[in-house]
Amino acid sequence: MFFDTDSSAILLLEDGTYFEGLSFGAVGTITGEVVFNTGMTGYQEVITDPSYYGQLITFTYPEIGNTGVNSEDNESSHPSVKGVIARQVSKISSNWRHESSFEKWLKNENVIGICGIDTRALVRHLRETGSLNGIISSDTKSSIAELFSLLQKSPSMSGLNLVNKVTTQSSFKVNSSCPVLFDKRIKNIETNPYQVVAIDFGIKQSILDRLVAHGCEVTVLPANAEISDVLALSPEGVFLSNGPGDPSTVDSGINLAKNLIDYKRLPIFGICLGHQILGLALGGKTFKLSYGHRGLNHPCGLNGKVEITSQNHGFALNSESLNSDKIKITRFNLNDQTVAAISVIDKPFFGVQYHPEASPGPHDADHHFNHFVTLIEERRRIVD
């Protein structure tokens, strides 16, 4: 164990299973849904991804913290997870870009962690039982019975709307003048950018960066935005973002997507929760996966074409609920055949369940951003 601590901690699951380990980060007690991420890199991006709001994240990679943390790699201004579960945590930050150690950062952000447990056994258990609510506590005064009583009050992720916990409270704009990477090779990126409205259900910074990189000027609106708010900005396309919780509970987003579909004039692109909301607005249904897809190497494809993808979701669209006369499933997750991407036949609406912005993760799917701006470009030609 590289982490120097004498503090004890416990992880207790709702089925009574518990793991004893060591405390790191903030000291305290926290409940949430226990999930796991199989990525070998990107712990900072994962922890600050708003899609993880309300969860206790288990990292299957045996040691995290090696590269420290820096402000440039954050996906949001603060960590979104409630707790961190790890096998080993390094107290040494071995990267020239680091601004703080991992442990100090978690302390400052009041994120509770437990390390020194057998994460392989924990993940095997979750794969057999499905994701479970759990409680991490470094409060040595509490008994297991007391912690279990507290845990029983923790709500299930099914039926939980968490979007309002992470969405922006006011609109803001992102464009090529902002301090992000963008590709100046794209024609007219600065003089004639594509005007896009993004609905913030928990949007990642790297998604905004990739939209800007593909020539978009993005106005971000809160999750409760109505179609009048969108149309008042005269957008050329609408983006539906990722986010946490049960997609079927995000009524405002589903209603907005329905109205945009009826409007029929604007290209729509959804990622993760936004993809699910698009599917729900089209009449589909979602269901909770047993333990979700969270990692950087999930193969998705159709008809022999495969891309390796970054994923983070606990719900999925039910393929049988999608009207095949209107909706085309363009990719499946090749591990379990769940719906990974859809498009609307003869309409400029599409969504992907995975994360093409690749932060962290492979860049195989970045072409979806190009497809979005191509749809906007085609609309420009028609309007002109």
Side-chain angles (χ1 to χ4, degrees):
M1 175 66 59
F2 290 96
F3 188 69
D4 185 15
T5 180
D6 296 323
S7 300
S8 61
I10 189 170
L11 167 66
L12 173 65
L13 303 179
E14 63 178 292
D15 66 354
T17 304
Y18 68 91
F19 298 81
E20 295 178 294
L22 300 174
S23 169
F24 74 98
V27 174
T29 300
I30 196 69
T31 63
E33 183 185 45
V34 180
V35 299
F36 60 90
N37 184 291
T38 60
M40 295 175 65
T41 61
Y43 58 82
Q44 183 181 339
E45 292 91 332
V46 167
I47 290 171
T48 56
D49 179 352
S51 297
Y52 280 103
Y53 185 89
Q55 294 178 320
L56 310 180
I57 179 68
T58 306
F59 289 96
T60 63
Y61 192 69
E63 182 176 282
I64 62 173
N66 306 70
T67 56
V69 296
N70 69 83
S71 55
E72 292 182 1
D73 289 345
N74 283 343
E75 292 294 350
S76 59
S77 57
H78 298 283
S80 297
V81 302
K82 285 189 172 183
V84 176
I85 303 165
R87 178 69 183 95
Q88 293 188 162
V89 177
S90 174
K91 64 178 181 179
I92 301 172
S93 302
S94 303
N95 188 282
W96 65 272
R97 296 175 64 237
H98 86 274
E99 299 167 1
S100 172
S101 71
F102 179 54
E103 197 270 342
K104 181 179 179 180
W105 178 61
L106 292 185
K107 276 187 177 179
N108 290 341
E109 296 289 351
N110 199 33
V111 177
I112 297 170
I114 182 172
C115 60
I117 72 169
D118 187 345
T119 49
R120 295 173 299 178
L122 172 59
V123 170
R124 283 198 299 268
H125 187 68
L126 294 176
R127 284 175 60 92
E128 292 172 358
T129 63
S131 296
L132 297 169
N133 279 352
I135 186 169
I136 299 174
S137 180
S138 46
D139 179 3
T140 56
K141 297 179 181 179
S142 298
S143 67
I144 289 182
E146 290 172 328
L147 293 175
F148 191 74
S149 177
L150 180 60
L151 177 57
Q152 288 180 311
K153 300 175 184 178
S154 182
S156 170
M157 190 62 72
S158 293
L160 201 58
N161 184 345
L162 296 174
V163 165
N164 292 336
K165 301 289 187 180
V166 297
T167 187
T168 183
Q169 298 303 305
S170 58
S171 64
F172 63 94
K173 185 167 288 189
V174 184
N175 53 42
S176 60
S177 66
C178 298
V180 297
L181 298 175
F182 64 96
D183 191 343
K184 291 186 177 181
R185 294 172 299 176
I186 298 176
K187 185 179 179 181
N188 298 330
I189 186 171
E190 293 181 281
T191 60
N192 192 22
Y194 304 113
Q195 298 300 313
V196 170
V197 166
I199 308 302
D200 178 16
F201 302 120
I203 198 165
K204 295 172 63 178
Q205 180 61 48
S206 55
I207 289 176
L208 293 172
D209 292 352
R210 294 314 297 155
L211 287 169
V212 171
H214 283 78
C216 300
E217 182 172 83
V218 186
T219 301
V220 182
L221 295 182
N224 62 357
E226 298 182 356
I227 191 167
S228 58
D229 302 317
V230 175
L231 298 182
L233 296 167
S234 301
E236 298 177 284
V238 177
F239 176 78
L240 306 177
S241 87
N242 62 296
D246 186 338
S248 67
T249 65
V250 189
D251 295 334
S252 61
I254 296 169
N255 290 334
L256 173 61
K258 286 180 179 179
N259 289 331
L260 289 169
I261 290 166
D262 291 340
Y263 187 67
K264 298 180 181 179
R265 299 179 186 178
L266 296 172
I268 303 173
F269 176 23
I271 286 179
C272 204
L273 184 75
H275 153 86
Q276 296 162 358
I277 285 175
L278 178 61
L280 288 165
L282 290 164
K285 296 180 180 179
T286 55
F287 67 98
K288 194 175 191 305
L289 295 164
S290 178
Y291 48 81
H293 301 157
R294 299 175 180 90
L296 314 180
N297 61 347
H298 291 258
C300 295
L302 187 68
N303 299 327
K305 295 182 179 181
V306 179
E307 51 195 24
I308 303 302
T309 68
S310 177
Q311 300 200 8
N312 168 26
H313 58 102
F315 293 81
L317 286 172
N318 182 328
S319 59
E320 296 182 357
S321 71
L322 301 174
N323 185 342
S324 59
D325 293 331
K326 297 181 179 179
I327 303 169
K328 181 180 179 181
I329 299 175
T330 55
R331 285 168 182 79
F332 289 96
N333 185 305
L334 299 182
N335 287 330
D336 63 4
Q337 296 301 307
T338 52
V339 177
I342 62 170
S343 65
V344 177
I345 298 171
D346 297 327
K347 296 290 188 300
F349 313 144
F350 73 105
V352 296
Q353 183 61 78
Y354 42 92
H355 285 264
E357 73 280 1
S359 180
H363 295 270
D364 295 30
D366 189 71
H367 61 89
H368 292 294
F369 290 103
N370 187 63
H371 178 53
F372 182 46
V373 298
T374 298
L375 292 174
I376 295 175
E377 186 66 42
E378 290 174 353
R379 180 181 179 274
R380 275 188 177 182
R381 290 195 290 268
I382 295 172
V383 172
D384 293 344

